[in-house]
């Protein structure tokens, strides 16, 4: 590796990505490849922390494949970056166990995402699985196994990064300087609202538009978008500034924004046509990505080969770190 600095980031394998994931994270990951050594990981072990049915378990592998196809189609480049699946480099699990010896339980119980998850899963802090409590320790292990310097994440992950730095400081104090303190790399990304026009786009809310949709699926989905609720009739002027279709035009039809605004506020355009116009913009923007995705998908074994090669490279780094850590910890 060069001395450009190492970037690590991970995504839980939830299957095909939607345009919120794409604009919020993936395009940024792609761009970082120009300036850093990048390591991108499908964190399947993390996915196990919140599973609740055998169907969820069976979905992990196909979900990894669909997500990685999106990554590759969007421009993550296996020639330049390490792209791999977390569980294929089990050294991270060893590091997780070792780090858990220097992580006070109180730190983990205080992480806001832990309390939130417990609530979401309708569990209590007593009934919830032990793995969920250790989620940020595993995330720390992900990052520092590769001695990454920076981690591109959304704001919701800042508490995890803070905890990672605390664990690193504690480890380095007890056993000698070993790991760099990983910095969060926040990028100003637009918050993409879903088709309900209210909440952040997310798969669990079913308000999403997948990047891998066909053009027809995109049209169908966009047709269900909520618009200005006061616009109950075609001849009532709309309020684009409260309409998420308008917000999405800014991203996918940037050249037409003024026209949309004008025609909406004067009732010169109806919402049905406006949505069709948006769907066309989305389809045009994603045409190249979708084409590449189809090509990659058709190549037998391609995704598996990429992931195998990624795991091989990641493992080479991981093994060295584990040897160093074990020695320092007196094992
Ligand atoms: N917790 C992250 C999320 O939910 C996923 C993740 C796991 C991650 N390990 C990581 C992100 C390491 C950055 C670095 O989005
Ligand atoms: Fe929204 Fe377009 Fe309808 Fe105006 S015309 S309310 S911007 S969908």
């Amino acid at each position: 590796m060069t001395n450009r600095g190492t970037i690590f980031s991970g995504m839980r394998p939830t299957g095909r990505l939607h345009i919120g994931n794409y604009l919020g994270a993936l395009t940024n990951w792609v761009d970082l490849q120009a300036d850093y050594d990048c390591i991108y990981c499908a964190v399947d072990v993390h996915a196990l922390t919140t599973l609740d049915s055998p169907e969820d378990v069976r979905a992990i592998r196909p979900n990894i494949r669909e997500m990685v196809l999106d990554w590759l189609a969007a421009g993550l480049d296996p020639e330049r970056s390490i792209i791999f699946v977390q569980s294929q480099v089990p050294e991270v699990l060893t590091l997780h166990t070792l780090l858990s010896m220097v992580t006070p339980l109180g730190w983990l119980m205080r992480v806001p995402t832990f309390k939130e998850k417990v609530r979401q899963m309708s569990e209590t802090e007593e009934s919830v699985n032990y793995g969920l409590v250790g989620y940020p320790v595993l995330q720390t292990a992900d990052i520092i196994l590769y001695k990454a310097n920076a981690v591109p994440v959304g704001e919701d992950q800042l508490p995890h990064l803070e905890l990672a730095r605390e664990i690193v400081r504690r480890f380095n104090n007890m056993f000698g300087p070993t790991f760099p303190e990983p910095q969060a790399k926040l990028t100003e990304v637009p918050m993409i609202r879903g088709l309900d026009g209210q909440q952040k786009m997310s798969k669990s809310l079913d308000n999403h538009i997948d990047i891998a949709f066909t053009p027809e699926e995109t049209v169908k989905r966009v047709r269900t978008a909520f618009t200005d609720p006061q616009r109950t009739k075609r001849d009532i002027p709309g309020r684009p500034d409260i309409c998420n279709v308008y917000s999405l035009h800014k991203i996918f039809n940037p050249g037409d924004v003024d026209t949309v605004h004008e025609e909406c506020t004067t009732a010169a355009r109806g919402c049905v046509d406006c949505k069709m116009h948006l769907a066309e913009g989305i389809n045009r923007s994603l045409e190249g990505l979708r084409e590449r995705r189809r090509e990659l998908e058709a190549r037998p074994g391609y995704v598996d080969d990429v992931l195998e090669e990624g795991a091989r490279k990641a493992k080479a780094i991981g093994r060295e770190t584990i040897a160093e850590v074990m020695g320092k910890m007196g094992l």
Side-chain angles (χ1 to χ4, degrees), residues 12 43-50 86 134-139 142:
R12 275 170 293 153
V43 291
D44 55 347
V45 184
H46 276 109
L48 292 175
T49 59
T50 53
Q86 188 181 34
Y135 185 110
V137 185
L138 182 58
Q139 182 164 348
D142 281 329

Side-chain angles (χ1 to χ4, degrees), residues 109-274:
M109 310 276 289
R110 275 196 296 274
V111 176
T113 46
F114 173 66
K115 296 199 179 296
E116 173 68 14
K117 275 275 160 58
V118 170
R119 205 184 47 74
Q120 273 175 13
M121 295 168 74
S122 322
E123 299 278 353
T124 66
E125 290 187 3
E126 295 291 318
S127 70
V128 82
N129 69 65
Y130 162 59
L132 187 72
V133 191
Y135 185 110
V137 185
L138 182 58
Q139 182 164 348
T140 303
D142 281 329
I143 300 164
I144 72 178
L145 185 64
Y146 309 101
K147 302 197 175 181
N149 311 98
V151 184
V153 283
E155 243 179 289
D156 62 314
Q157 294 292 312
L158 289 181
H160 289 170
L161 262 291
E162 185 53 41
L163 193 77
R165 282 192 296 278
E166 276 172 326
I167 295 174
V168 162
R169 282 195 287 270
R170 203 158 213 254
F171 186 98
N172 289 348
N173 278 333
M174 283 181 76
F175 303 109
T178 308
F179 298 111
E181 286 182 31
Q183 303 302 316
K185 198 168 175 56
L186 284 177
T187 33
E188 347 68 66
V189 286
M191 200 272 267
I192 309 294
R193 276 177 289 150
L195 295 164
D196 55 13
Q198 303 291 325
Q199 287 172 280
K200 189 169 161 177
M201 186 173 287
S202 95
K203 193 164 186 143
S204 53
L205 294 170
D206 195 26
N207 64 1
H208 59 295
I209 303 167
D210 285 352
I211 57 177
F213 275 165
T214 62
E216 297 73 33
E217 286 170 326
T218 306
V219 169
K220 216 171 131 195
R221 246 343 231 177
V222 171
R223 276 212 196 109
T224 68
F226 280 72
T227 62
D228 177 357
Q230 278 181 21
R231 224 185 155 197
T232 48
K233 292 205 193 83
R234 169 72 176 73
D235 56 2
I236 302 174
R239 296 170 298 170
D241 297 311
I242 64 149
C243 175
N244 191 36
V245 172
Y246 180 66
S247 309
L248 293 171
H249 273 300
K250 291 184 194 163
I251 299 165
F252 292 102
N253 287 316
D256 303 336
V257 168
D258 293 343
T259 314
V260 175
H261 197 279
E262 167 72 19
E263 292 181 356
C264 173
T265 50
T266 55
R269 70 162 52 206
C271 293
V272 175
D273 292 338
C274 191

Side-chain angles (χ1 to χ4, degrees), residues 8-11 29 39-43 67 71 84-86 142:
F8 183 99
S9 200
M11 278 188 209
W29 286 17
I39 307 179
Y40 296 124
C41 182
V43 291
M67 181 172 79
W71 286 3
F84 76 109
V85 177
Q86 188 181 34
D142 281 329

